[in-house]
Amino acid sequence: MKRYVAGAASMMLLMTAGLFLWIGASGQEVVIPDAPPPPEVREPEGLPEADESAPILGPAPPTPPKAYKASREERRFNRYDRNRDGVITRLELMSSRTKAFKALDKDGNNLLTFEEWAATTSDRFAGADKDGDGQLTRAEFRTTRPKRTAPQRCKC
């Protein structure tokens, strides 16, 4: 019962405060300042004109250099190599992937080079290519998907 009385009293207090604010705000005049004058519009003096001896066409722009197209594996490697020093550290490969990092790091120095990365993925491809023709069919490609583990049951 005390809660209801306290709630009703606080509601009345809030309504009274709101009423005072509303009455106080309605008694004040709001002055809207005048807008600044529009800027002056000047007519353009005209476009500059070239001399009669100026060439009609300038020299051709330089051709841009050919961009290096990274392979798919290099792009995947670069995704993890954040500081672009050519090695992936354990911190760069994310703490949730430590098992995968240890499996890829063949020499155990906590640095993953591109050669270690490529060798492991090449072995994975060779394992999936059952007929050894250098191409993965749809059925062979399905075998490369990581195995899903069953969710652990709660012992509540």
Side-chain angles (χ1 to χ4, degrees):
M1 183 69 180
K2 289 181 182 180
R3 284 185 177 173
Y4 293 115
V5 172
S10 63
M11 188 171 68
M12 292 298 286
L13 183 64
L14 283 174
M15 287 177 57
T16 306
L19 183 65
F20 280 123
L21 285 174
W22 181 48
I23 291 173
S26 66
Q28 297 178 358
E29 265 189 51
V30 178
V31 179
I32 299 175
D34 293 334
E40 295 180 18
V41 179
R42 295 187 321 181
E43 292 295 323
E45 297 174 2
L47 296 175
E49 294 184 16
D51 292 345
E52 306 250 345
S53 62
I56 295 176
L57 293 176
T63 57
K66 291 276 186 181
Y68 172 72
K69 178 95 169 125
S71 69
R72 182 173 176 257
E73 285 301 309
E74 287 174 316
R75 287 193 308 257
R76 287 181 63 203
F77 182 84
N78 290 337
R79 209 175 322 154
Y80 292 110
D81 186 18
R82 297 289 183 181
N83 59 359
R84 300 292 187 249
D85 61 350
V87 292
I88 297 175
T89 61
R90 185 181 301 259
L91 291 175
E92 287 175 327
L93 194 60
M94 302 181 322
S95 61
S96 64
R97 309 267 327 240
T98 55
K99 281 185 181 179
F101 182 89
K102 287 180 182 179
L104 293 174
D105 186 20
K106 298 298 182 189
D107 57 359
N109 63 352
N110 287 336
L111 298 174
L112 187 64
T113 62
F114 181 74
E115 287 76 22
E116 289 173 327
W117 176 280
T120 305
T121 53
S122 172
D123 293 343
R124 189 173 174 194
F125 180 87
D129 188 16
K130 299 294 183 198
D131 55 1
D133 63 350
Q135 297 176 346
L136 290 180
T137 62
R138 287 186 185 272
E140 291 172 335
F141 183 76
R142 270 187 240 123
T143 63
T144 64
R145 186 176 69 196
K147 305 294 185 258
R148 289 192 177 193
T149 58
Q152 294 180 351
R153 292 260 174 179
C154 179
K155 295 182 182 179
C156 298

